[in-house]
Amino acid sequence: MITLILLHPLQPIPAQSWTFADDEPAIFIGRAADNHVVLYSAVVSRRHIEVRRVDNGWEVVNLGANGTYVDGQVIVRVPVSDGVILRLARSGPQIQIRLGVATAATVTKSQIVVSG
């Protein structure tokens, strides 16, 4: 399973999390309502990132106009390692990816409002 955790911008606690089964081929994150994870933030693109299943795990692909960052570096495509933190746009929300850790029930879609 794969868990996406929206990190709280000011406190060291998760704001929300979403868990998906390993047989999910791709998980889309963005502002549009048809994404698996919807984040209402002005700096997040309608379809910002795709987390997709690959032969030996997962990879993140940037689809957003404002970029996706890992460790302060803009990425195009990067393999997922457990605990990696993605920032959507230079000043946008942060999502941590955990592999094989359940923090909530398996979901197919969810929405949250994020300022920024």
Side-chain angles (χ1 to χ4, degrees):
M1 81 183 52
I2 182 170
T3 301
L4 308 176
I5 303 165
L6 178 65
L7 300 177
H8 192 283
L10 302 174
Q11 300 173 14
I13 58 169
Q16 186 167 351
S17 66
W18 304 264
T19 300
F20 299 89
D22 277 335
D23 61 354
E24 188 79 44
I27 302 162
F28 290 96
I29 302 171
R31 227 177 44 239
D34 64 342
N35 288 295
H36 294 89
V37 175
V38 178
L39 300 175
Y40 295 112
S41 170
V43 297
V44 174
S45 297
R46 286 186 293 273
R47 184 149 288 186
H48 201 101
I49 60 174
E50 175 185 5
V51 181
R52 72 173 131 193
R53 189 85 173 130
V54 291
D55 293 336
N56 55 351
W58 297 88
E59 71 178 2
V60 172
V61 179
N62 175 62
L63 306 172
N66 291 331
T68 300
Y69 296 79
V70 174
D71 293 328
Q73 301 296 311
V74 68
I75 60 109
V76 174
R77 176 179 296 162
V78 66
V80 171
S81 58
D82 185 43
V84 68
I85 297 175
L86 310 169
R87 181 178 289 278
L88 283 61
R90 189 174 300 270
S91 63
Q94 294 186 92
I95 302 231
Q96 182 178 41
I97 300 178
R98 298 299 312 266
L99 302 174
V101 177
T103 60
T106 300
V107 296
T108 55
K109 276 195 176 183
S110 189
Q111 299 180 355
I112 187 167
V113 176
V114 178
S115 61

